Amino acid sequence: MRDGIRRLGALLRKEWLQILRDRSSFAIAFLLPTLLLVLIGWGVSLDPRRLEVAVVIPVRSAATDELVAALAGSSAFRVEVVRDRRTAEARLTRGALRAVVALDDEFAGRLAAGTARVQILLDGVDANTARLTEGYLRAVLALWGMRLGLPPPAVTVESRLWFNTAADSRHFLVPGLTAVVLTLTGALLTAMVVARGWERGTMEALFATPARRLEIFLGAFLPYLLMGLAASAVVAAAAVLVFGVPLRGSLAAFALASLLFMAVSAGFGLAVSGATRNQFVAAQVALYASLLPSFMLSGFLFDIRSMPGWLRLLTVLVPARWYVEVQQTLFLAGDVASVLTRDLAVLALFAAGVGALAWRGLRKRLD
């Protein structure tokens, strides 16, 4: 028993020294996640901001001035006033505008009579942005009408936003980014580094030592598991302290979910490296089979419920889907037992299955 612990300690020390000497390992484990955090946290937003809107006002009045002020007061719009409708439509055709709010020549008189109409023209190339832009414009127009004392509709709708009360897409994106970070550190890094050992012959040298199969497995598995947990802690701290995302759940649940998902990622990397024994092939397999699904099919960027039925079924096989759901629940909703119990159980099953594959591929044999 004591000899086994000593051998395991030597293997862990060897792996850590190899990681410290390899700058690419630190780049993948920490530099790339930091770059992703900056790009997604500050550069990517699903919320419309500074949308170019032209307001066509043939005849200016106090009411039209209030409308322009209401639109300009919203952070979603960058407003300009034009006199000629054809000019605005031409700019919309060129893609220089997202929307046109058009008033007619008799708008002031019809407004006094209660029959005024406002036409909204939208650039529908990006359908999602067009729908959001229309919703924002309708909301501003409704508030403008209330200020003018226009009669309200028969039914008054009051809405309340749960969980993401700031309606900020960063609160949705940044927690899910942890899945991408752990996939980089676990699957991609582990697959490349261990495959490099096969290429250089260090794995064969390990097989010639008295080290047992379990000790070799843990020596290659534990360092990357710890690196992934450290990277996830950095992302979580940045989410709360830098981007202001609330963490309403418990740290224990966050740590358990990260541990399970990192076990899946690192185990997948070991399985890939054992099957390919080539850095280039291992990197390609890890990229296409692990990293891309974490982006596309996990719910990190795209809503799974809006996908076709067959693709929704496919996402069940993507471990990142369950981890992203845990993260978004912990950060925005809190410790929702029904969600956490199910998702953590699924991650545990994935960890056991992938770990078995990695264990099977790491045999002390050269064939």
Side-chain angles (χ1 to χ4, degrees):
M1 181 66 179
R2 183 177 300 175
D3 291 340
I5 295 176
R6 186 167 58 248
R7 287 194 298 268
L8 177 58
L11 289 172
L12 291 174
R13 183 172 180 271
K14 184 271 298 181
E15 198 67 34
W16 279 117
L17 290 175
Q18 181 175 334
I19 292 173
L20 291 174
R21 286 196 297 264
D22 187 3
R23 296 181 180 179
S24 64
S25 298
F26 277 93
I28 295 175
F30 295 104
L31 183 59
L32 282 180
T34 302
L35 182 60
L36 283 173
L37 189 63
V38 171
L39 290 177
I40 293 177
W42 277 303
V44 177
S45 177
L46 302 181
D47 306 317
R49 291 288 186 271
R50 299 184 62 78
L51 299 169
E52 297 85 357
V53 175
V55 185
V56 180
I57 303 179
V59 180
R60 182 179 173 183
S61 65
T64 60
D65 289 344
E66 289 188 20
L67 173 59
V68 173
L71 290 170
S74 172
S75 62
F77 301 125
R78 188 167 58 189
V79 181
E80 61 176 293
V81 178
V82 298
R83 300 290 183 185
D84 185 15
R85 180 187 176 110
R86 287 176 297 182
T87 301
E89 290 179 351
R91 296 193 61 200
L92 184 68
T93 302
R94 294 197 305 269
L97 295 174
R98 288 290 187 177
V100 174
V101 178
L103 311 180
D104 56 31
D105 296 340
E106 301 178 0
F107 177 78
R110 291 179 178 177
L111 183 64
T115 61
R117 293 183 179 180
V118 177
Q119 186 178 41
I120 299 175
L121 306 177
L122 297 163
D123 181 352
V125 173
D126 184 346
N128 184 61
T129 300
R131 285 192 295 267
L132 292 173
T133 303
E134 181 183 9
Y136 281 15
L137 286 172
R138 287 184 178 274
V140 173
L141 289 172
L143 291 174
W144 168 71
M146 291 175 60
R147 292 195 190 101
L148 293 180
L150 299 179
V155 178
T156 301
V157 178
E158 294 183 1
S159 61
R160 180 180 178 186
L161 195 62
W162 282 22
F163 310 131
N164 188 1
T165 55
D168 191 339
S169 62
R170 291 186 183 90
H171 291 189
F172 170 80
L173 292 174
V174 174
L177 181 62
T178 317
V180 180
V181 171
L182 293 188
T183 302
L184 279 171
T185 309
L188 186 60
L189 181 59
T190 306
M192 291 178 60
V193 172
V194 177
R196 187 183 307 160
W198 286 105
E199 288 183 347
R200 295 177 177 176
T202 56
M203 293 299 294
E204 288 86 344
L206 279 178
F207 290 168
T209 67
R212 298 177 180 177
R213 184 181 179 186
L214 177 61
E215 296 160 0
I216 296 175
F217 178 84
L218 293 178
F221 178 78
L222 290 179
Y224 301 101
L225 181 70
L226 296 176
M227 287 180 67
L229 293 178
S232 67
V234 170
V235 173
V240 175
L241 301 177
V242 178
F243 299 105
V245 183
L247 178 58
R248 298 190 172 101
S250 63
L251 290 175
F254 173 84
L256 177 59
S258 298
L259 178 65
L260 290 174
F261 184 69
M262 188 59 199
V264 175
S265 297
F268 180 79
L270 285 176
V272 168
S273 65
T276 61
R277 302 189 180 186
N278 179 277
Q279 283 189 82
F280 178 78
V281 177
Q284 295 299 309
V285 172
L287 176 66
Y288 290 111
S290 184
L291 187 59
L292 283 182
S294 295
F295 264 104
M296 309 297 293
L297 301 177
S298 66
F300 165 56
L301 286 177
F302 307 106
D303 188 3
I304 294 176
R305 291 169 294 185
S306 64
M307 297 179 182
W310 65 270
L311 194 55
R312 289 199 302 270
L313 290 176
L314 184 61
T315 63
V316 174
L317 303 177
V318 178
R321 169 198 168 162
W322 307 98
Y323 181 66
V324 167
E325 189 170 89
V326 169
Q327 293 296 83
Q328 291 172 347
T329 300
L330 286 174
F331 274 88
L332 300 178
D335 292 328
V336 182
S338 58
V339 176
L340 296 181
T341 302
R342 179 197 63 199
D343 292 352
L344 291 176
V346 173
L347 286 174
L349 289 176
F350 272 114
V354 173
L357 288 176
W359 174 260
R360 183 180 178 182
L362 194 64
R363 297 191 297 266
K364 290 191 67 174
R365 296 171 56 182
L366 300 181
D367 56 351

